[in-house]
Every structure is written in structure tokens, then in C-alpha cells.
Amino acid sequence: MIDFNSGTELPNKFLGSEKKTTLLYNNEIYMIKFPDPIRDKNNTLSYMNNQFSEHIGCRIFRVCGLSAQETILGAYTDKTGRKKIVVGCKDFTQDGTTLYECSKLANAIVTVDEKIKATIENVRLIIQETDFIKDKTGATTQFWDMFVVDALLGNNDRHLDNWGFLSKDNEFSPAPVYDCGSSLGALLSDDQMRRLLDDEIEFNSIEYNTKSCYSLNGQRIFYHKIFKTPPNELNEAIRRITPRIDLELVKETVLSTEGISDIRKEYLIKSLTVRYERILAPALKQILKRQG
Ligand SMILES: Nc1ncnc2c1ncn2[C@@H]1O[C@H](COP(=O)(O)OP(=O)(O)OP(=O)(O)O)[C@@H](O)[C@H]1O
Ligand SMILES: [Mg+2]
């Protein structure tokens, strides 16, 4: 594993739910994400495994043919002398482009004192009403393709700050996928994973019953439900993306990850397989059957 302390610290340019560090490493700028502390008193873990989920999640996006940030796992000793495994996310704005998270575009549809909610209706409206987004079809494709892979990852955190557009000279294009840190069992300890692997009912209730952070028609979306009766845009995305998913390559992505236990690998592979085989693959089969 690489040592990020050999990089040069730069003034930090990234915000987010937890503090970040910005480094120049191998002549590239990286946002360093640390294991996030856990605020829930009922969770016995002291730190999340979000750095591994970030790395594996972004790699799976790329394996599925979508553009996602490049990540590297590495060691980093902080100023207090504590050594941690962190993930370095290569800054995709270092060429002078600006990232506009979708939430920043909400001005097109809400007044200044309204908080924008994560709903499918709002995503459609933002794309429709933001004049800077010229390619409406491209932006719709971007969101729904990401939705399909998020269903595979069981990601419930793709809120409006966690995807967006890159802009250069006010020309908007889809930004690479970033922030997959809350997916892929990031809040589970190895012991919990070991127990869940022996408890089919509990395993399915956590890993099959996953929710998106979006609501549609006033109801929070369960991935397994919306894939049974997909709206048109999702229907198209399932047809585009599902045939591109090579489950063996996805498994290989997990197996080749440094720094995680065999139990975590087994758990992630089982959960990805369950969602692929019980949510994504049947949805594609149903769509192709309807087509005749
Ligand atoms: N590779 C990248 N290049 C440029 N900007 C990025 C990149 N990744 C993230 N960002 C920006 O940094 C912000 C924080 O990153 P991110 O969303 O990954 O962290 P976070 O929300 O704190 O993560 P988590 O929810 O896992 O704690 C993002 O909202 C985005 O504005
Ligand atoms: Mg985020």
C-alpha cells in the first residue's frame, strides 16, 4: 500500500460531512478521505469502513462502464501520530473545471429559503429548468445509469450533493461519480458481517431491502420495488447498464482490494450477488420479455 505522507500537503479545498486533507501526490491533487467516526451510540464500531467502500464502489462503477473518480487506498499518519488507511480521490477539477453538485442548481426550482428535497420529481425539474444544462437527455441518462449501479451497491446516500456536473466556460457536462462511501456495508464491523452471513433473514433485510435516498410520488424508493415497475428513464437505464455488468469482474474488484478481511470480501460479494441476481437481472429479463 502506498504512503500518502510522501505527498505534499496543500491548502484544503474540499468540504463534506467530515474533514478532508488535500495532498499533491505524484504530481496530481488528491482529496484524502479518512475513516469517518461513528456518531450512533448503538454502533459498536468506532470508525466506519467508508474509505474501502469509496474505493471499491468507484471501481465497480468503472467496471460497469461509467465514469467515476480514480481512487487509491494508502496509509496516512496524521498530526497526532495515528496511522490510518485512507482513500485518495484524484481531484477531477484540477484542470480548472468547476464541480456543480446538483444541490447547487436547485435555485432553478426553489426559492432561497426552501430546502431542496431528494425526490425524483426534483431531479427531473432541475435538469429541465437549469438553462446551463444543454444536453437534457445526457443529464437524464447520467442520473439513471448511476441509479442502476447504486442499486447494485445498495447505496442510500446519492443525495443531491453527491453527484453533479463539471463546468468549463459555463458548458456543463456530467461529473465523474464520487462519494460511494456510505455503500457496501460501511457501517458494519467484521463481527457483524460474520454473524449476518449465518442469518439469511437478517442478511436479506439489510442487503436486499435497500433503499435509495430518493422519494417518488411521496414514497421513499426501495430498489427492489422500483425495479419491478420502473419509470421510463429507469427502464432505459436497466437496458443500457445491466448487460454491461460482469458479475465476475465485480467480484474480482472486491477480491483484489488490499486491507480488508476475508469476511468483508465474502460479505460484499454475497450482497452484490444478491442484488444483481434478485433485483437487476430479473428487471432486465422482464423488460426484454415485454419487448418480445
Ligand atoms: N474527486 C473529486 N474531485 C473534485 N471534487 C470532489 C471529488 N470528490 C468529492 N469532491 C467534492 O468534495 C465534496 C466532499 O466529498 P465527498 O462527497 O466524497 O465527501 P463526504 O460527503 O464528506 O463523504 P462521506 O459522505 O463519505 O463522509 C463533494 O461534495 C464534492 O464537492
Ligand atoms: Mg458527499
Side-chain angles (χ1 to χ4, degrees):
M1 208 174 267
I2 66 152
D3 179 7
F4 276 117
N5 291 92
S6 65
T8 311
E9 190 161 341
L10 299 176
N12 180 41
K13 60 181 275 198
F14 303 101
L15 290 171
S17 60
E18 298 297 332
K19 209 177 143 305
K20 311 286 185 298
T21 290
T22 306
L23 288 184
L24 188 67
Y25 178 81
N26 260 351
N27 291 322
E28 306 266 13
I29 299 175
Y30 282 87
M31 172 179 84
I32 304 296
K33 285 179 84 167
F34 297 88
D36 287 346
I38 297 205
R39 317 248 179 247
D40 176 6
K41 289 196 184 68
N42 296 322
N43 194 319
T44 50
L45 266 184
S46 40
Y47 287 96
M48 276 173 81
N49 288 288
N50 54 299
Q51 75 280 48
F52 296 111
S53 298
E54 184 71 60
H55 179 64
I56 299 170
C58 289
R59 285 185 71 205
I60 291 178
F61 264 101
R62 290 207 303 277
V63 160
C64 297
L66 274 73
S67 159
Q69 68 178 354
E70 284 173 47
T71 58
I72 322 177
L73 288 171
Y76 185 76
T77 306
D78 68 19
K79 292 187 176 78
T80 64
R82 265 178 298 201
K83 188 171 174 172
K84 291 176 175 157
I85 297 181
V86 300
V87 61
C89 306
K90 196 191 274 185
D91 180 0
F92 49 68
T93 63
Q94 54 187 308
D95 60 353
T97 49
T98 304
L99 171 66
Y100 286 86
E101 297 87 347
C102 193
S103 52
K104 283 187 185 148
L105 306 178
N107 288 357
I109 64 160
V110 287
T111 57
V112 274
D113 49 356
E114 265 179 284
K115 192 169 161 20
I116 180 98
K117 291 204 180 81
T119 69
I120 296 297
E121 289 86 350
N122 281 341
V123 169
R124 287 178 178 145
L125 267 179
I126 289 173
I127 293 174
Q128 222 170 70
E129 301 299 324
T130 304
D131 292 337
F132 295 110
I133 303 175
K134 300 272 186 272
D135 181 4
K136 310 286 183 198
T137 312
T140 304
T141 302
Q142 170 195 359
F143 176 79
W144 287 101
D145 286 0
M146 193 170 61
F147 190 93
V148 172
V149 181
D150 277 331
L152 177 67
L153 302 183
N155 190 0
N156 64 5
D157 198 41
R158 181 72 56 210
H159 51 69
L160 298 166
D161 284 330
N162 280 343
W163 66 283
F165 301 87
L166 288 180
S167 155
K168 203 162 195 178
D169 308 323
N170 287 338
E171 287 274 329
F172 275 46
S173 59
V177 171
Y178 59 90
D179 203 350
C180 300
S182 297
S183 61
L184 296 173
L187 279 167
L188 296 173
S189 67
D190 284 12
D191 281 348
Q192 283 168 307
M193 288 187 167
R194 193 172 290 113
R195 192 176 56 72
L196 285 165
L197 281 169
D198 291 332
D199 183 343
E200 210 61 23
I201 295 175
E202 190 62 9
F203 181 89
N204 283 330
S205 108
I206 294 179
E207 299 298 341
Y208 170 70
N209 244 344
T210 46
K211 284 184 202 152
S212 157
C213 71
Y214 290 90
S215 299
L216 177 61
N217 300 324
Q219 302 229 318
R220 184 81 180 269
I221 296 172
F222 278 92
Y223 286 118
H224 66 86
K225 285 194 184 148
I226 196 169
F227 272 68
K228 287 196 182 103
T229 50
N232 278 343
E233 310 101 308
L234 177 57
N235 203 70
E236 293 308 304
I238 293 168
R239 277 163 39 127
R240 259 191 313 271
I241 300 299
T242 311
R244 287 197 216 160
I245 301 175
D246 178 341
L247 195 58
E248 290 311 308
L249 270 182
V250 169
K251 289 181 191 172
E252 193 41 49
T253 304
V254 174
L255 287 173
S256 61
T257 305
E258 286 181 279
I260 59 171
S261 65
D262 288 346
I263 280 291
R264 187 163 295 270
K265 289 180 184 174
E266 186 183 339
Y267 186 94
L268 295 187
I269 287 176
K270 184 171 173 186
S271 62
L272 287 158
T273 305
V274 162
R275 287 187 293 270
Y276 177 78
E277 287 180 348
R278 293 186 50 200
I279 302 178
L280 277 68
L284 178 65
K285 201 168 157 195
Q286 198 189 32
I287 291 168
L288 296 178
K289 200 164 124 195
R290 248 191 276 125
Q291 259 184 343

